[in-house]
Amino acid sequence: MSSVVVVGGGVVGTMHAWAARRAGHDVRQLEAEAEPRGASVRNFGLVWVSGRAPGPELDLALRARALWEELGEAISGIGFRPDGSLTVAQHPAELAVMAELVSQPDAERRGVQLLDADATRRHNSALRGDFLGALFCSRDAIVEPRQVLPALRAHLEAGGGYEFLPGRVAKRVEPGRVDDHTGAIHECDLVVLCPGATHHGVAAEFLADAPVRRCRLQMLQTEAFPERLATAVADGDSLRYYPAFQLPSAAALPPPVAIVAEYRAQLLVAQRASGELTIGDTHHYDEPHDFALDEVPFAHLLARAESLLGSALPPVKRRWAGVYSQATDDSTCVRVRPDPRIVVVTGLGGRGMTLSPAVAEATLEELS
Ligand SMILES: Cc1cc2nc3c(=O)[nH]c(=O)nc-3n(C[C@H](O)[C@H](O)[C@H](O)COP(=O)(O)OP(=O)(O)OC[C@H]3O[C@@H](n4cnc5c(N)ncnc54)[C@H](O)[C@@H]3O)c2cc1C
């Protein structure tokens, strides 16, 4: 048995803590905030297999989905729901892209199926709007982002060999030790640094040459929707962003409307266990990021959701922005190994919630 210090209390750090405990190591986890506030609690909680690139990324997503399911069975607080998703087409060219995906050799592994409008309504009776059909993905799932981290930590604490230290900013990382801002020194055999989008500070020296950038997204949550959404929902604009849809037929997609182009918007809707709807999102890369929320894309996303649901949405309860770290090459994440006793893991992008358990498992396998 050896000792591991994980820096960062987001989903990537916490999944590394879980994977390290599973491998038999003693784990101490440091988090700068009193409770993590980063991307891991600001996301949709979508475990999103449907849009992953064919090959290694799809393999990793399917492994991650299996791990989420196992964790969801063992830890009820995670709120794992194998609901699947419907990506809804409102234009014939969108249906053509979905049909092409369904004809790919990996379609069965993705669990994808093309539905006409009536079958779409049978899959999710809350969808009563105007559309032509949808892509159903049975492998997509939902977890509860505000509950996942405390639930995982409680599970680890109950098993022993794990200690969570909130309110500790790691100021210095060296082989075999982490110094925090209180002056405490945490000695260990391995440091796993998972700083999320905090590319400055202690992570800066390790990420200086890494292919990584930051992306800011806008999100909102409504009051409880009166019906249960049987699946998560996406609109046809999402076909523009996910690598699985980069197929020849995608060239015939209509140009995005001006707001979608300007804000790189797509509609995703995930219903919380409480009935509230998490709705997003936008993508902004140029830094410095705006500190204020912009109303224009929210109005578009709400109108789009209403056009698919065919009914008025409940009032908006909260709005927020979130920032994630994203690898700029084809890698599924940025994994830097400046020393055999230090590994830095970030850059999982908009799929970090999905991939985190499998990325953590792979890190531990690589190290062993
Ligand atoms: C709005 C939004 C929606 C998204 N939706 C989805 C989705 O539905 N599905 C999906 O798969 N992915 C989604 N993502 C992406 C996913 O949320 C991220 O990839 C993932 O949460 C990143 O996790 P992380 O642990 O790397 O980062 P974070 O959650 O940001 O955690 C990093 C933590 O490290 C701590 N930290 C940093 N530096 C230090 C230090 N020096 N000392 C101590 N602690 C430190 C920070 O305080 C922070 O708590 C979304 C992201 C956003 C922003």
Side-chain angles (χ1 to χ4, degrees):
M1 175 170 321
S2 58
S3 58
V4 176
V5 170
V6 175
V7 176
V11 73
V12 175
T14 308
M15 286 297 184
H16 278 82
W18 161 77
R21 276 303 300 138
R22 203 179 55 158
H25 306 298
D26 275 333
V27 177
R28 178 173 288 182
Q29 185 178 14
L30 312 186
E31 163 56 42
E33 303 282 346
E35 180 62 36
R37 313 275 82 198
S40 304
V41 297
R42 295 171 189 236
N43 62 45
F44 296 93
L46 291 172
V47 177
W48 205 246
V49 172
S50 48
R52 302 279 67 94
E57 187 179 314
L58 179 60
D59 296 344
L60 198 68
L62 287 167
R63 175 63 188 151
R65 201 261 187 215
L67 289 170
W68 274 115
E69 188 162 10
E70 273 174 35
L71 286 165
E73 276 163 18
I75 313 169
S76 61
I78 284 177
F80 180 85
R81 302 199 320 261
D83 287 1
S85 71
L86 286 167
T87 300
V88 183
Q90 290 182 304
H91 190 285
E94 293 169 353
L95 267 189
V97 175
M98 295 172 188
E100 193 175 357
L101 184 77
V102 167
S103 71
Q104 299 302 302
D106 59 13
E108 202 180 319
R109 296 185 72 222
R110 286 181 199 275
V112 286
Q113 205 184 327
L114 189 64
L115 306 178
D116 64 19
D118 287 341
T120 303
R121 290 187 188 100
R122 281 198 297 277
H123 260 74
N124 186 339
S125 59
L127 290 171
R128 290 192 282 272
D130 192 17
F131 47 79
L132 304 173
L135 181 77
F136 175 63
C137 175
S138 63
R139 304 273 190 271
D140 287 342
I142 298 181
V143 295
E144 292 300 315
R146 287 171 185 242
Q147 294 172 205
V148 162
L149 302 177
L152 273 170
R153 294 197 312 258
H155 176 76
L156 291 173
E157 272 157 6
Y162 169 78
E163 186 184 14
F164 179 62
L165 295 180
R168 300 288 188 111
V169 183
K171 300 298 273 185
R172 195 179 173 88
V173 170
E174 282 178 13
R177 69 184 266 182
V178 176
D179 301 6
D180 76 30
H181 77 287
T182 69
I185 295 168
H186 308 276
E187 290 183 347
C188 56
D189 299 303
L190 175 72
V191 181
V192 183
L193 176 55
C194 305
T198 313
H199 293 172
H200 54 271
V202 76
E205 63 172 302
F206 305 120
L207 295 177
D209 300 321
V212 69
R213 66 178 173 179
R214 306 191 325 153
C215 177
R216 175 186 179 275
L217 290 74
Q218 287 199 179
M219 307 278 283
L220 61 82
Q221 196 150 309
T222 68
E223 304 274 2
F225 189 68
E227 289 170 68
R228 175 54 51 194
L229 256 64
T231 65
V233 175
D235 76 351
D237 283 320
S238 67
L239 304 177
R240 304 178 196 284
Y241 304 107
Y242 292 109
F245 303 114
Q246 283 165 19
L247 297 164
S249 56
L253 285 172
V257 299
I259 293 176
V260 168
E262 182 179 349
Y263 293 91
R264 294 186 184 88
Q266 63 174 340
L267 177 73
L268 294 176
V269 183
Q271 190 170 38
R272 303 272 62 91
S274 61
E276 296 169 3
L277 301 180
T278 306
I279 296 179
D281 57 13
T282 60
H283 300 87
H284 193 89
Y285 299 98
D286 296 337
E287 298 216 32
H289 293 146
D290 198 341
F291 54 82
L293 294 171
D294 191 336
E295 280 304 310
V296 173
F298 284 136
H300 163 79
L301 291 168
L302 289 168
R304 203 74 206 260
E306 288 184 341
S307 84
L308 298 186
L309 292 166
S311 60
L313 286 166
V316 175
K317 201 172 161 184
R318 308 186 182 97
R319 298 167 201 260
W320 67 92
V323 178
Y324 61 64
S325 164
Q326 182 182 40
T328 51
D329 58 13
D330 287 342
S331 318
T332 41
C333 67
V334 171
R335 206 183 264 116
V336 182
R337 195 89 189 272
D339 179 275
R341 284 171 293 166
I342 302 173
V343 60
V344 186
V345 187
T346 189
L348 281 72
R351 59 210 163 166
M353 199 69 171
T354 304
L355 297 181
S356 54
V359 165
E361 182 178 68
T363 304
L364 267 290
E365 273 167 16
E366 225 177 273
L367 293 170
S368 71

